[in-house]
């Protein structure tokens, strides 16, 4: 058995993985939507940036009601994004460049255009076809229970014969019944299909949601409260929750699924992995997904959810490392993704928001485990206020509340006006880009002293020098109020969340998010020191 510290076999344990939102990364054919050949053409950029792998959001056949997270065929590529051969070319080219490829898997639900769901509608109540999903009878014209959709409104939709089907997300995304043996069998085949094509790993969407309490009972809510999905805030940014009754999430049977998937991955080789998107209520329940015989990692959203506070960051570090240590798993860290407001905006926006974003990123990249970056964060992109007529997030379309479009605006690569070389076309892409992004393009920032892109390149190059040798032990230090400081191997890391400069301990400055003058670190900045 290989050593878990072997970077070839267990590459993900200390990897930096770059999330590619396929619709918004690079467009090869000029239709304004990103695609697989577009990604392939930009892979050298990712290799030069210094990341170890890319995670690609769903590119499977889909009607695109939720931009690919409504899958109609898990074994093919949607024509919007290319062909199956384009996926093969992308994987091969990534491997040539030393990049691993992680693909998104959506097992909680299918599209309503999946052949299984169309067969279920045609077959009628009580049929084997309907048993693949969660169809139930209502009560005098009302849904079977009080559950709410993550995207707003009831989690049930009624069909013509009077039955209702469950959809914890959009009505075009019917939830599967994972107690039906056909469902796990189908997904194990899907895993093998992509593993055989050379995929290195899977990001498991809504990994905590596959099983619901078998009774499908009502959610218990307090007096004066309304049932809720428990998954997202009103602005559809994923947030932490108080402990509450959630019969639709995190049921114990889900772990049997991941034990079976672990065996499938092992069949393909020890260097294949899976990471869970599991929005659980405690760090202990999150850690259950990464027990030795289950998944390899689980997204840890605590760093993302923390306030700009040294105490909050210190608590997250302590709790995260304590949670994964018994399982021997590597922690994960993330600040932005396609479902949340970009972190420079969360931290206040403008110069201050970007300074804090760089400081938090630098501290994060010094922690043991793997870090997930979201496309465009290396350019310092902020959340965009997308005009109502251009919004396409199904959460917005169902509720009228601002959804996730603002973090999904296509990448600016070069030029002085939209579409900033996103593709060969001249018009705006599928979500319009701001007119003032000319200074934020990859072209404008490359080689520019002090640019966000060059900061990321410098930090990632420095990280490669110690990621596998600094060890996993983190020692928190008490330097000053409003300061997070910790030691990991030869590194001392200081993050100043306060409002005034602080004195630094002795050490050589390896990289800093802001200039360090006379041994003092300014506010909203961080630094790596080598003892």
């Amino acid at each position: 058995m290989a050593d878990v510290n072997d970077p070839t076999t267990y590459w993900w344990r200390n990897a930096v993985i770059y999330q590619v939102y396929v619709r918004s990364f690079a467009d090869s054919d000029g239709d304004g939507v990103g695609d697989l050949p577009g990604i392939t053409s930009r892979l050298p950029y990712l290799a030069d940036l210094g990341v170890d792998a890319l995670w690609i959001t769903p590119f499977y056949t889909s009607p695109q009601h939720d931009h690919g997270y409504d899958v109609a065929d898990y074994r093919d590529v949607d024509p919007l994004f290319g062909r199956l051969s384009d996926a093969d070319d992308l994987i091969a080219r990534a491997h040539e460049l030393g990049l691993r490829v992680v693909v998104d898997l959506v097992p909680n639900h299918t599209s309503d255009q999946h052949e299984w769901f169309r067969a279920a509608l045609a077959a009628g109540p009580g049929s084997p076809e309907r048993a693949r999903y969660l169809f139930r009878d209502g009560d005098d014209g009302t849904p079977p229970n009080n559950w709410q959709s993550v995207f707003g409104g009831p989690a049930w939709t009624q069909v013509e014969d009077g039955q209702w089907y469950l959809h914890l997300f959009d009505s075009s995304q019917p939830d599967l019944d994972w107690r039906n043996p056909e469902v796990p069998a189908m997904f194990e085949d899907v895993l093998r299909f992509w593993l055989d094509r050379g995929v290195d790993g899977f990001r498991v969407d809504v990994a905590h949601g596959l099983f619901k309490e078998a009774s499908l009972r009502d959610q218990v809510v307090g007096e004066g409260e309304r049932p809720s999905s428990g998954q997202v805030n009103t602005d559809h940014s994923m947030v932490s929750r108080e402990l509450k009754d959630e019969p639709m999430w995190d049921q114990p049977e889900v772990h049997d699924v991941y034990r079976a998937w672990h065996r499938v991955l092992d069949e393909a080789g020890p260097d294949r992995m899976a990471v869970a998107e599991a929005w659980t209520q405690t760090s202990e329940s999150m850690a259950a997904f990464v027990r030795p015989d289950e998944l390899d990692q689980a997204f840890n959203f605590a760093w993302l959810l923390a306030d700009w506070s040294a105490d909050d960051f210190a608590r997250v570090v302590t709790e995260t490392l304590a949670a994964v240590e018994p399982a021997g798993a590597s922690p994960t860290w993330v600040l932005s993704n396609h479902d949340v407001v970009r972190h420079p905006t969360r931290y206040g926006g403008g110069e201050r928001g970007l300074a804090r974003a760089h400081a938090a990123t630098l501290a994060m990249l010094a922690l043991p485990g793997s870090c997930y970056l979201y496309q465009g964060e290396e350019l310092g992109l902020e959340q965009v206020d997308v005009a109502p007529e251009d919004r396409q997030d199904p959460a917005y379309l169902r509720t009228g509340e601002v959804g996730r479009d603002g973090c999904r605006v296509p990448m600016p690569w070069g030029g002085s006006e939209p579409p900033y070389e996103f593709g060969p076309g001249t018009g705006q892409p599928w979500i319009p880009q701001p007119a003032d992004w000319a200074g934020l393009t990859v072209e404008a920032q490359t080689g520019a002293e002090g640019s966000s892109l060059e900061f990321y390149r410098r930090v990632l190059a420095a990280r490669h020098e110690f990621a596998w040798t600094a060890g996993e032990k983190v020692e928190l230090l008490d330097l000053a109020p409003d300061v997070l400081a910790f030691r990991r191997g030869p590194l001392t890391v200081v993050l100043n969340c306060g409002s005034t400069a602080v004195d630094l301990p002795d050490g050589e400055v390896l990289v800093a998010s802001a200039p360090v003058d006379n041994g003092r670190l300014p506010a909203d900045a961080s630094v790596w020191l080598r003892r």
Side-chain angles (χ1 to χ4, degrees):
M1 181 176 179
D3 185 340
V4 294
N5 292 314
D6 175 4
T8 302
T9 303
Y10 298 101
W11 57 270
W12 61 86
R13 290 185 66 91
N14 287 292
V16 175
I17 301 175
Y18 185 100
Q19 181 189 355
V20 170
Y21 192 73
V22 61
R23 298 176 66 94
S24 296
F25 191 65
D27 169 24
S28 71
D29 57 12
D31 66 355
V33 179
D35 48 43
L36 297 185
I39 296 171
T40 303
S41 72
R42 297 292 187 177
L43 288 176
Y45 165 77
L46 296 182
D48 291 343
L49 182 61
V51 301
D52 303 293
L54 64 155
W55 147 37
I56 309 172
T57 57
F59 49 79
Y60 316 111
T61 306
S62 165
Q64 301 294 317
H65 293 304
D66 190 20
H67 301 150
Y69 285 91
D70 49 325
V71 180
D73 185 347
Y74 292 87
R75 299 179 182 86
D76 204 354
V77 173
D78 194 284
L80 182 66
F81 304 131
R83 299 171 297 180
L84 196 55
S85 60
D86 293 320
D88 295 335
D89 292 343
L90 189 160
I91 294 166
R93 179 61 174 144
H95 289 167
E96 288 176 2
L97 293 168
L99 296 168
R100 306 277 185 162
V101 179
V102 176
V103 298
D104 227 314
L105 189 61
V106 188
N108 178 70
H109 48 262
T110 70
S111 164
D112 60 2
Q113 299 304 303
H114 192 282
E115 61 179 358
W116 276 10
F117 192 73
R118 289 185 293 175
L121 292 180
S127 64
E129 289 82 2
R130 287 211 174 174
R132 296 165 174 157
Y133 294 88
L134 291 162
F135 279 88
R136 295 293 186 270
D137 295 322
D139 183 13
D140 195 24
T142 61
N145 65 30
N146 67 350
W147 296 1
Q148 296 292 294
S149 162
V150 168
F151 290 164
W156 296 91
T157 291
Q158 193 172 27
V159 299
E160 290 184 359
D161 55 41
Q163 280 203 310
W164 301 73
Y165 67 88
L166 179 69
H167 53 88
L168 291 178
F169 293 84
D170 190 65
S171 58
S172 65
Q173 296 167 296
D175 281 41
L176 290 158
D177 186 351
W178 273 83
R179 291 184 173 86
N180 184 324
E182 289 186 79
V183 175
M186 186 267 278
F187 275 94
E188 289 182 23
D189 286 345
V190 170
L191 289 172
R192 292 187 176 96
F193 178 85
W194 289 105
L195 289 167
D196 288 346
R197 304 193 89 87
V199 159
D200 299 287
F202 300 89
R203 178 262 189 186
V204 185
D205 187 60
V206 197
H208 59 302
L210 277 54
F211 282 84
K212 292 75 179 169
E213 282 195 24
S215 66
L216 297 182
R217 62 172 175 82
D218 277 357
Q219 181 182 21
V220 177
V221 296
E223 185 176 352
E225 296 180 354
R226 299 178 62 188
S228 70
S229 68
Q231 180 87 355
V232 293
N233 200 11
T234 54
D235 66 355
H236 301 283
S237 60
M238 304 296 190
V239 296
S240 58
R241 304 152 290 167
E242 296 179 358
L243 293 180
K244 60 178 66 176
D245 178 55
E246 292 186 347
M248 68 289 289
W249 304 119
D250 201 15
Q251 300 304 306
E253 298 96 324
V254 76
H255 296 287
D256 292 331
V257 173
Y258 300 132
R259 292 185 184 98
W261 287 15
H262 185 95
R263 293 190 290 271
V264 173
L265 291 168
D266 274 355
E267 290 171 6
D271 60 344
R272 310 299 179 94
M273 60 83 76
V275 55
E277 182 216 25
W279 289 91
T280 63
Q281 298 201 57
T282 67
S283 56
E284 292 78 15
S285 56
M286 180 271 290
F289 287 84
V290 294
R291 288 177 288 204
D293 60 345
E294 295 191 37
L295 301 179
D296 300 287
Q297 291 184 327
F299 279 120
N300 166 33
F301 299 109
W303 189 262
L304 179 157
L305 297 169
D307 291 332
W308 181 253
S309 157
D311 288 343
D312 256 25
F313 285 132
R315 173 187 54 78
V316 168
V317 170
T318 300
E319 292 181 357
T320 297
L321 297 180
V324 300
E325 192 275 333
S330 60
T332 65
W333 314 94
V334 62
L335 280 165
S336 283
N337 62 39
H338 67 292
D339 282 330
V340 302
V341 173
R342 286 185 177 273
H343 57 289
T345 303
R346 293 202 313 271
Y347 289 147
E351 291 185 7
R352 187 182 196 188
L354 183 59
R356 288 180 169 183
H358 284 171
T361 299
L362 183 58
M364 177 184 79
L365 286 165
L367 290 165
S370 59
C371 297
Y372 286 77
L373 307 180
Y374 179 48
Q375 67 177 45
E377 73 169 77
E378 75 277 16
L379 304 179
L381 300 185
E382 289 199 46
Q383 192 82 354
V384 175
D385 184 12
V386 178
E389 62 269 22
D390 295 319
R391 295 173 188 164
Q392 301 189 40
D393 186 351
Y396 168 75
L397 299 178
R398 282 178 67 92
T399 68
E401 298 171 357
V402 176
R404 302 163 293 179
D405 295 304
C407 65
R408 301 175 175 184
V409 177
M411 282 274 289
W413 291 97
S416 59
E417 60 184 11
Y420 301 112
E421 299 180 9
F422 173 66
T426 57
Q428 283 279 16
W430 72 284
I431 297 179
Q433 298 162 312
D436 60 355
W437 269 12
L440 297 176
T441 67
V442 172
E443 179 183 57
Q445 295 195 45
T446 296
E449 185 177 355
S451 72
S452 182
L453 175 58
E454 292 303 333
F455 168 74
Y456 269 77
R457 285 174 170 160
R458 189 167 67 253
V459 175
L460 292 174
R463 176 186 164 90
H464 276 288
E465 295 182 11
F466 73 86
W468 285 93
T469 60
E472 298 181 358
K473 182 181 178 181
V474 171
E475 177 189 357
L476 292 178
L477 307 174
D478 185 9
L479 287 189
D482 299 320
V483 171
L484 170 72
F486 62 88
R487 184 174 293 133
R488 180 186 170 207
L491 284 185
T492 298
V493 180
V494 183
L495 168 61
N496 185 4
C497 296
S499 58
T500 59
V502 297
D503 291 326
L504 290 171
D506 292 337
E508 173 195 358
V509 175
L510 292 182
V511 62
S513 67
V516 175
D517 294 323
N518 298 318
R520 291 177 61 78
L521 181 68
D524 299 329
S526 61
V527 64
W528 294 355
L529 303 169
R530 178 158 48 198
R531 289 181 288 162

